[in-house]
Each structure stands twice: as C-alpha cells, then as structure tokens.
Amino acid sequence: MAGLLGIWNENTHNIGEELILGLTALQHRGQETVGVVIYNHNQPPIHANGVGYVREILAHLGETAGTHAIGYVGDLEFHIAPITRSTKFGRISACLDGQITNRSQLLEKFPYLVQTTDIDEEIILHVLATSSSKRIAEAMREKIGEVSGGISLLVADQDRLCAYRDPHGMRPLIAGKTPAGSTVFSSETCIEQNLGLQNIHSLRMDELNVQERGKEETRTIRKMSSAARCAYEILYLSMPNSKTFGTSIHQVRMLLGNALAKKWRVSGDIVVPVPASGLIYGLGMAEESGTEYAPQGIIRNHYTPRLMSISANGFEGRRTQIKLNANTDVVEGKKVILIDDTLVRGITAKKLIADIRHSGATEVHFGLPCPPLVSHCSFGVHMREGEGLLTEQLTDKESMRVWLNADSFEYLTHPEVKQVFEEAGHYGFCWSCLTGIAPY
C-alpha cells in the first residue's frame, strides 16, 4: 500500500509546502518511507527521500519553489520511491500504488531488461523505454497497456506529469484543482482540506492524464474492463473523511456497524472501538444497538515508533501494548463490546481482549464488520514478511473465539458485507482478501 501525490503548475510557486501538507494527509497509507522529486523549469530536479515520516524527511523543503512534483509514502522499508532513471527520454521519475501482476511475462518478453532494483516502477520504466516514441507521454500511450495488475501510477520529467489508473480501477486516484490553479493527483480525497482542493473527481478506469505546458490531455488506453475496485480500501485503508471510488468511507462504515448490530444481538454496557479505523464501525454498532459508545475505552499512543521497525527489532510481542492500551476508568466493571475493522493474524485483538479483562471488564465480546481475511493480496496491500493469517490455523468461528478468549465473537459474512455495499449503491469490487478468489 502507498500514497501518491502529484502536483502540476506551469508557474513557479511554493510547492514544497504543498507536498508536505498533502503527503502528511496521506501518511496513513505508508509510514515507512517518504520520497519526492521537485521540478522547476530547467533547473536540476530536487530529490528527497528516506525511511521515516513526512515531517522527518521533508521538513527542509517547506519553502522550496517548483512548478511540478511527484511524491510518495510507502509501507515497505526497502521500497523508496519515486525512482529516477536516465532513459532515452531523459531523466524520468516514477512512483506507483499497487502491484503489477505480469512481471515474469514482461521479463520474458523483454529479456534485455536490466533491473537495478526489485520494484515495479523499475520494470515499468524499462517497458516504456521499449517504445518507438521519443517522448515519455507518447511512450505511456503506446506501452502502459502492456502492464497488468492493480496500479495507480505517476510519471514525471522536466516538462510534464502523467497520471494513470489501471483498467479495473483497483487502486484509487483522484484529481482536483487548488485555488492557485495547480492540478493535483492523489490517492485519496482526504487531502482536500489541507490543499483546498476543488472540482475533485476520480480518474476513470484505464485513464491516462498528461499535463504539459499549455495543454492537458486525457485518454483511455484500452477497451474498458469490468471494475474490480479494492474493497479493503473501503473496509480499512482509506481515511474516514475520504470518498474513495466515489464512496463515502464514513457512510459505508456506519452502515456496516449498523448491520453488525442487527445481526448480533449481544448484551453489553459499552461499545469500545479499536482506534483508529474501528471508530466509525463502533459508532454504527452503538447507534443501532442503543448501547453507550465509549471511544475512550482504548487509548492510542500517537508517539510510538513505526510498527514495522518495532517488529524488525524484536518487539513483536509488545507492539500492541506500546500503541494501544485499555482505559481502566472506562472499562472496569463493564460488559465490553469490542469492535475492530478486520482480523488478520488476531494478535492485536487477542492482546487487547486480555488487556481489557486485566483492566477489570466483566465480559469482553468481539465483533467485526467483515469476515477474517483468508488470503494475502496479490495487488499491492502488503503484510510484514512471514505474516500468517489466523484463518490458516483456525477455520471456524468458535475456535477463533476460544483462541481470542472472547465471551462471544461475531462478524458479517462476505455476502452480508457485499449486500451493504450494494444497498448503498456501490458495485464492482475485488473481494479476494475475504474470499480467496481473485477477480482477474
């Protein structure tokens, strides 16, 4: 998973501030690496990247002038983007969200491709370089159709910025305008307030948008395919104040919380959501069930190290306690209904249930707005190396409840989640993480 930000303006302006504001709003999509490339007419591009948060890596760019730029936040420590390579088109920079799925076929088709890194941007730039065109924009039009997968992509050089979204619309990519006239591309609409975006819209499936001096061009590369938007974007990845794929994240999560309450007539004193992505589900559960909503039942520490770094340094067994803690003053003596977003390995849920019991709760019931994940993602939602799924060891609800040590355990099934989506008017999603069946 990654967050992309592209900014285009023919005039020099304080683009550094826009990058910091925009990428900070996208930080939830990647807390391991940050990178930007800034262009300013014929001046040498400015590169800044590293392992860390936006505020750490880009602080020195706060007053940097430029015309256009691309930026990236990522969730893999070894994947630092944008990458920049010397090609026949000149120096080209690229970053993507998602994953290409025909890597081996491309390497067979173009055996002379020489990779200096093992990341998808590298392969894409090499594929573009096989074009007979002399400019990167024409190469994108000619060759990007040979790349398969679920991706949103930004490519830039000294004179232009290209934005592309895959033909199934797997990954989100939106465009909008700032009050100063800059065109902005972003993975989510949650940057709207930070940058004052107006006229926000999603790029169409398989749309290529090319910004050049004096003109803008949009076109569809291939014949339209069936939609396979990532359901996990709605369930977990996107911020609650975003509209992803045109879908209000807040609204759908409220409806899923309502649906869980209708299905699960559990008796409790308080509904406690796991922050932050469980907050809206918990609110929907509390609203429908008439149970007191207690978001302060778990306190989140916002000043912890990045979780992947903690895991890498041997603190795997303690990372939940470092980040999330039960609030004794809220849960003591109560029957707690604990609501999370999804269940991957179950480690966080198990430790939170134990922590809530230790803090004096008389009962702990655990609920989810979707079934536990049954499959890893082939389209770019990453998990830590070697991370196994709980469903690989436990296949039924009761065995999971016992392992979690919950008084009861309930979740919406895939058909029930899909029904909520469709009743809200949202169709055409990839459910492979919940079903194990890839859409293509």
Side-chain angles (χ1 to χ4, degrees):
M1 180 177 72
L4 305 183
L5 181 65
I7 301 173
W8 170 267
N9 196 314
E10 296 189 19
N11 301 313
T12 299
H13 63 291
N14 185 355
I15 202 169
E17 181 180 35
E18 291 178 331
L19 286 167
I20 292 172
L21 290 172
L23 289 173
T24 297
L26 296 173
Q27 186 79 82
H28 62 286
R29 298 185 67 86
Q31 299 180 44
E32 291 299 317
T33 63
V34 180
V36 298
V37 180
I38 299 173
Y39 297 89
N40 191 10
H41 297 295
N42 294 322
Q43 298 179 23
I46 296 172
H47 300 258
N49 58 56
V51 175
Y53 292 121
V54 173
R55 63 176 182 266
E56 299 167 343
I57 307 301
L58 304 185
H60 64 291
L61 299 179
E63 297 182 0
T64 301
T67 52
H68 60 290
I70 58 175
Y72 172 93
V73 290
D75 63 349
L76 295 176
E77 201 167 88
F78 61 82
H79 187 158
I80 295 179
I83 67 166
T84 301
R85 298 291 182 264
S86 294
T87 72
K88 69 177 185 179
F89 314 111
R91 297 280 287 175
I92 305 295
S93 298
C95 55
L96 66 79
D97 175 28
Q99 186 169 309
I100 61 175
T101 55
N102 63 333
R103 171 193 290 254
S104 59
Q105 292 93 328
L106 290 173
L107 293 177
E108 286 180 14
K109 184 174 182 178
F110 306 111
Y112 48 85
L113 295 185
V114 178
Q115 287 182 255
T116 57
T117 65
D118 189 34
I119 60 176
D120 287 350
E121 289 94 335
E122 187 81 40
I123 293 179
I124 289 173
L125 288 185
H126 278 301
V127 171
L128 295 179
T130 66
S131 167
S132 59
S133 303
K134 296 181 180 180
R135 297 166 68 242
I136 188 63
E138 282 84 13
M140 289 279 288
R141 299 180 190 109
E142 179 186 343
K143 288 291 183 178
I144 195 63
E146 298 187 20
V147 176
S148 298
I151 65 169
S152 289
L153 173 69
L154 298 178
V155 176
D157 67 7
Q158 202 75 36
D159 300 310
R160 59 195 56 82
L161 193 160
C162 306
Y164 173 73
R165 188 173 174 216
D166 76 82
H168 297 279
M170 175 71 72
R171 295 280 154 240
L173 192 63
I174 63 101
K177 290 280 189 180
T178 69
S182 296
T183 298
V184 174
F185 301 99
S186 171
S187 296
E188 286 189 42
T189 64
C190 61
I191 70 167
E192 175 184 3
Q193 293 178 335
N194 281 19
L195 296 182
L197 283 195
Q198 304 165 350
N199 303 319
I200 298 173
H201 62 279
S202 292
L203 269 68
R204 301 183 305 275
M205 296 186 299
D206 208 32
E207 178 181 340
L208 173 65
N209 184 301
V210 179
Q211 301 285 328
E212 296 185 87
R213 302 196 186 283
K215 65 177 181 178
E216 173 184 359
E217 179 184 351
T218 63
R219 67 167 61 185
T220 299
I221 302 299
R222 291 163 283 194
K223 185 179 179 180
M224 296 290 283
S225 302
S226 58
R229 305 175 186 92
C230 175
Y232 204 56
E233 284 278 355
I234 309 298
L235 296 171
Y236 173 71
L237 300 180
S238 294
M239 288 287 282
N241 59 330
S242 282
K243 287 181 172 59
T244 300
F245 311 128
T247 300
S248 166
I249 302 300
H250 178 92
Q251 179 195 47
V252 172
R253 290 181 185 174
M254 281 289 292
L255 291 173
L256 288 167
N258 293 161
L260 179 61
K262 292 174 183 176
K263 175 180 182 177
W264 188 29
R265 298 296 183 179
V266 62
S267 176
D269 299 316
I270 55 175
V271 173
V272 175
V274 178
S277 49
L279 291 173
I280 309 303
Y281 296 123
L283 182 59
M285 174 77 185
E287 176 186 78
E288 180 65 33
S289 65
T291 308
E292 180 186 348
Y293 182 55
Q296 292 302 308
I298 295 175
I299 303 300
R300 181 180 180 182
N301 185 337
H302 294 275
Y303 304 99
T304 57
R306 298 182 307 281
L307 294 188
M308 188 174 290
S309 298
I310 295 173
S311 176
N313 286 290
F315 291 96
E316 178 64 25
R318 296 172 55 194
R319 66 189 185 93
T320 300
Q321 289 94 329
I322 293 172
K323 187 174 182 179
L324 301 170
N325 297 104
N327 186 344
T328 302
D329 288 342
V330 175
V331 304
E332 187 174 23
K334 300 293 180 62
K335 298 178 183 178
V336 174
I337 303 172
L338 180 66
I339 304 295
D340 206 350
D341 45 51
T342 54
L343 194 66
V344 182
R345 292 184 305 163
I347 299 296
T348 297
K350 185 179 178 71
K351 291 187 180 297
L352 281 175
I353 290 169
D355 193 20
I356 291 170
R357 289 193 187 281
H358 181 73
S359 297
T362 59
E363 296 178 11
V364 184
H365 305 269
F366 184 55
L368 298 169
C370 66
L373 270 62
V374 300
S375 175
H376 291 265
C377 180
S378 300
F379 302 98
V381 178
H382 303 116
M383 298 178 186
R384 289 186 300 279
E385 186 67 27
E387 185 171 80
L389 303 175
L390 182 62
T391 52
E392 293 171 354
Q393 284 77 43
L394 305 173
T395 58
D396 64 278
K397 188 185 299 181
E398 176 59 17
S399 62
M400 293 182 194
R401 182 199 68 78
V402 172
W403 184 81
L404 290 165
N405 193 27
D407 290 283
S408 67
F409 174 42
E410 188 58 272
Y411 53 79
L412 297 179
T413 64
H414 164 242
E416 290 167 339
V417 176
K418 190 169 181 282
Q419 181 179 349
V420 171
F421 274 53
E422 293 178 352
E423 287 178 351
H426 307 305
Y427 298 84
F429 284 87
C430 169
W431 303 96
S432 62
C433 60
L434 304 184
T435 65
I437 303 171
Y440 56 89

